[in-house]
Amino acid sequence: MAKVSISLDADLVVEVMVLAGIGSPQDAVEAIVRDFVARGHRTEARTGLREQGLREVDVKPREPEG
């Protein structure tokens, strides 16, 4: 897997470490990013079905009005 190096504010990283309860800055930031991605996937799974249903309703031809 490819690795990316970035610079982050030290105070931000320390706060992430404390909140995550992880002693390594690398592991703490990686855990937070993984959690963020997982939340995005869960949100897509929940809203995607509803949006898909709305799209199906919009695709059906409308009845002639009046």
Side-chain angles (χ1 to χ4, degrees):
M1 180 183 302
K3 300 287 182 178
V4 176
S5 296
I6 59 171
S7 297
L8 296 172
D9 179 36
D11 292 336
L12 178 63
V13 174
V14 169
E15 188 168 350
V16 167
M17 291 170 60
V18 169
L19 289 172
I22 300 174
S24 162
Q26 174 72 33
D27 292 345
V29 173
E30 187 172 317
I32 296 299
V33 171
R34 288 184 187 278
D35 181 64
F36 181 80
V37 170
R39 284 185 190 191
H41 289 301
R42 289 191 303 268
T43 300
E44 287 174 357
R46 285 185 173 181
T47 60
L49 296 175
R50 188 168 26 191
E51 289 175 7
Q52 180 66 27
L54 291 174
R55 276 189 230 114
E56 290 172 359
V57 170
D58 290 342
V59 170
K60 294 178 184 173
R62 294 184 177 223
E63 295 290 325
E65 294 181 14

